[in-house]
């Protein structure tokens, strides 16, 4: 993956987010977010977010972590990265291993940070039905 500016605050915040999720380090993952941040993963209604409004604020983001990240082993494979100001879009996929299954979520994964380099928005554009169709027993 080629990144225009690997030292950009948004890129570093995204990298910290992924590393903390892989390491199952909830405290580090949450510390990377601004207090008023939103996580939409995936965007729209899902079993993690039936109303499709996103997880807003640290308490809601913490609950999302417990539902989606804690029980899973994750692998990130981003093949393209586009940086624009305080935002970054990554094209690729995430492999999610949980409960004896592996699912591949292909899409666009975006981060936006504030002036302090804290994530204010983590948004994941992936289709639940396509990811579910990729499920295989491991």
């Amino acid at each position: 993956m080629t990144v225009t500016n690997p030292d950009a605050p948004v890129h570093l915040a995204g990298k910290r987010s992924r590393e903390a999720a892989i390491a199952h380090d909830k405290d580090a993952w949450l510390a990377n977010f601004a207090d008023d941040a939103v996580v939409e993963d995936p965007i729209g209604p899902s079993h993690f977010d039936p109303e499709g409004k996103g997880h807003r604020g640290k308490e809601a983001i913490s609950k999302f972590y417990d539902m989606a990240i804690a029980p899973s082993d994750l692998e990130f494979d981003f093949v393209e990265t586009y940086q624009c100001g305080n935002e970054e879009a990554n094209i690729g996929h995430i492999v999610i291993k949980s409960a004896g299954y592996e699912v591949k979520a292909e899409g666009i994964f975006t981060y936006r940070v504030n002036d302090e380099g804290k994530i204010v928005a983590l948004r994941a554009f992936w289709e639940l039905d396509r990811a579910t169709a990729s499920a295989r027993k491991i």
Side-chain angles (χ1 to χ4, degrees), residues 32-95:
N32 203 30
F33 287 90
D35 290 339
D36 59 348
V38 62
V39 171
E40 296 174 89
D41 185 0
I43 294 171
S46 73
H47 54 288
F48 298 129
D49 181 13
E51 294 182 17
K53 295 182 179 182
H55 309 275
R56 296 180 187 278
K58 290 257 183 121
E59 184 177 336
I61 292 170
S62 176
K63 289 178 184 175
F64 169 79
Y65 179 96
D66 293 340
M67 287 187 298
I69 296 173
S72 303
D73 289 320
L74 304 172
E75 298 172 15
F76 296 85
D77 185 16
F78 295 158
V79 296
E80 295 286 337
T81 297
Y82 298 91
Q83 296 173 323
C84 299
N86 284 343
E87 299 195 48
E88 180 174 280
N90 299 281
I91 299 170
H93 67 266
I94 299 173
V95 174

Side-chain angles (χ1 to χ4, degrees), residues 100-113:
Y101 286 89
E102 177 180 290
V103 173
K104 186 176 184 180
E106 297 183 52
I108 300 170
F109 306 87
T110 69
Y111 302 91
R112 185 172 70 236
V113 297

Side-chain angles (χ1 to χ4, degrees), residues 11-23:
H11 186 72
L12 296 173
K15 184 177 176 184
R16 283 191 306 271
S17 175
R18 293 186 296 277
E19 289 172 348
I22 290 168

